């Protein structure tokens, strides 16, 4: 961003924050239709993703037992503490593209006897040019038992992605056996016990491959379904209900890739429709980015809106996928699982070995708010969503390098939105003047979501405008506010970010709120994510 542009944005923002809250006529509307429920918001839409990619596992999560960095059995304590704060429901592992190159047997048994392998990502040019390390040559120190320990410490459920490209259904069956066979029952249960867990891990979420149209095997949908059937048919379940997730398409801004979905579902129902009862979800991936240089911290106002606009396309992409699924599954037995999403920027890598890492800014906080609001509004269709990826990577809630650690702007939005989890999503209507940007771009002026939790209504709203506050009439159709607590995440600088030098630069702040009744006026700050927690009369 040019200095002049930055200064004018900052000054305008500062001026707007001085505007008394109700002195202007409303230029925005938020309406919550309390008597129009959409569906329960699955807590699992707040789930995460860990891949053996760059600095995610080494040294984001795994620092080793002998490390001076505070750790619990080799696992970075700061991450565990923050994951507990988020009450994160599920973590997906070990990839991503890595999953379809991973032999789970390499990561079991005594750590000092495990083989070192070339990581799937080693040849990616920036990593290839970086110094050698576990990011390039996988030491397998962090294997299934270590991942399970990580999940247990964080209070999360595991979601494992099976290797469909380069392992067989028999290998998959035996991974399930290693994880789930009863204590003392099998040779693999014995190895699991020596790896620290006599009791089974009881893994229920299983992804059958990853991006099977690409790095997961370059399949056509009709070929993939053959593999999918082989993997899920007759797999030992040890009395558990296994939840199989089929590899769906990678959605692009100009193409939801519904042809993959149609091809997959057509073949799923070809033999009989019973197979649909055994598919828990369809995995969908969607990343947004800026055209051009796409730097995470060096961007213009136009880049700001462009990324927010791209993130908002998730809304229509989900609707298009749902319609395509419904052509073959009219009862919608299969739900959507968005198990990779986020803003993928370049630059500001915190270490050259940490492929795809960048420092997220306030812009990425708004991407998070926009996306979680979309997920809430599609609560009836979504079973799980996993932000990519947990630490030192794309759209990352955490940064960690040696003994330094920071919770990013993204973490704080997840924390704020926790209040929606498990609530009843309600129809949410908003309006505000559209924003024009660049030569012909335009973007909505306000959006958000709402959920009901007994007598508490939670509303979250994103104001994307870089400098204009929105004086907004908030109207509760079918309810009346008694009191309200407000939390806002914003900054006068749209490039603001948390990093190792300044980990608390952008944190949510409470705002005094004296509002009541079925409708009231609230001023949503520029470039902000706001949460209103309303006690209903
Ligand atoms: O998250 C990074 C990569 O993006 C994943 O490995 C892959 O599934 C996707 O293409």
């Amino acid at each position: 961003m040019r200095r002049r542009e930055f200064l004018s944005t900052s000054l305008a923002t500062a001026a707007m924050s001085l505007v008394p809250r109700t002195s202007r006529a409303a230029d925005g509307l938020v309406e919550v239709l309390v008597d129009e429920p959409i569906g329960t918001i699955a807590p699992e839409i707040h789930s995460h993703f860990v891949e053996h990619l760059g600095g995610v596992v080494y040294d984001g999560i795994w620092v080793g037992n002998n490390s001076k960095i505070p750790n619990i059995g080799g696992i970075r304590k700061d991450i565990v503490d923050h994951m507990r704060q988020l009450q994160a429901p599920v973590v997906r592992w070990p990839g991503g593209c890595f999953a379809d190159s991973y032999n789970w047997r390499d990561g079991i048994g005594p750590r000092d006897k495990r083989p070192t392998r070339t990581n799937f990502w080693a040849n990616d040019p920036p990593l290839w040019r970086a110094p050698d390390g576990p990011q390039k040559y996988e030491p397998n120190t962090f294997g299934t038992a270590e991942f399970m320990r990580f999940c247990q410490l964080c209070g999360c459920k595991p979601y494992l992605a099976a290797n469909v490209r380069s392992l067989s259904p028999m290998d998959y069956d035996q991974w399930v056996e290693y994880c789930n066979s009863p204590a003392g029952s099998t040779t693999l249960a014995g190895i699991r016990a020596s790896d620290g867990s006599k009791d089974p891990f009881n893994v229920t979420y299983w992804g059958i491959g990853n991006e099977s149209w690409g790095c997961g095997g370059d399949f056509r949908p009709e070929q993939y379904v053959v593999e999918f059937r082989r993997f899920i048919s007759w797999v030992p379940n040890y009395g558990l209900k296994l939840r199989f997730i089929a590899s769906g398409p990678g959605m692009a801004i100009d193409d939801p890739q519904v042809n993959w979905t149609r091809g997959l579902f057509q073949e799923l129902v070809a033999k009989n429709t019973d197979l649909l009862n055994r598919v828990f979800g369809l995995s969908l991936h969607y990343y947004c980015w800026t055209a051009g240089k796409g730097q995470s911290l060096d961007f213009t106002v136009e880049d700001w809106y462009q990324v927010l606009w791209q993130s908002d396309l998730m809304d229509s992409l989900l609707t298009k996928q749902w319609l395509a699924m419904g052509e073959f599954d009219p009862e919608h037995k299969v739900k959507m699982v968005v198990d990779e999403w986020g803003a993928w920027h370049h630059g500001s890598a915190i270490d050259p070995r940490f492929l795809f890492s960048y420092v997220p800014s306030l812009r990425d906080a708004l991407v998070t708010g926009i996306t979680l609001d979309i997920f809430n509004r599609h609560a009836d269709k979504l079973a799980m969503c996993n932000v990519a990826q947990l630490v030192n990577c794309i759209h990352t809630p955490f940064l960690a390098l040696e003994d330094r650690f920071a919770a990013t702007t993204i973490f704080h939005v997840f924390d704020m939105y926790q209040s929606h989890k498990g609530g009843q999503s309600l129809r949410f209507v908003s309006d505000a003047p559209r924003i024009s940007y660049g030569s012909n771009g335009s973007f909505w002026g306000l959006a958000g979501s709402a959920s009901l939790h007994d007598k508490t209504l939670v509303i979250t709203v994103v104001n994307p405008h870089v400098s204009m506050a929105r004086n907004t009439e908030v109207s509760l159709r079918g309810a009346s506010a008694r009191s309200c607590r407000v939390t806002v995440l914003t900054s006068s600088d749209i490039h603001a970010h948390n990093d190792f030098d300044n980990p608390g630069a952008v944190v949510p702040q409470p705002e005094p709120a004296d509002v009541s009744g079925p409708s009231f006026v609230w001023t949503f700050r520029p470039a902000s994510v706001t949460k209103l927690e309303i006690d209903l009369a």
Side-chain angles (χ1 to χ4, degrees), residues 49 51 53 92 95-98 121 210-211 213 215 285 287 340 344 356 388-389 394:
F49 172 37
E51 179 168 4
L53 187 169
R92 176 178 183 239
C97 293
F98 176 85
W121 295 100
N210 168 75
E211 298 194 347
W213 41 269
C215 61
H285 293 177
Y287 291 99
E340 289 186 27
W344 196 324
F356 307 150
Q389 301 195 10
I394 310 156

Side-chain angles (χ1 to χ4, degrees), residues 268-278 328 333:
L268 278 179
V269 299
K271 192 169 161 219
N272 56 49
T273 52
D274 190 46
L275 197 59
L276 290 177
N277 291 320
R278 307 191 48 216
F328 306 90
K333 293 174 176 161

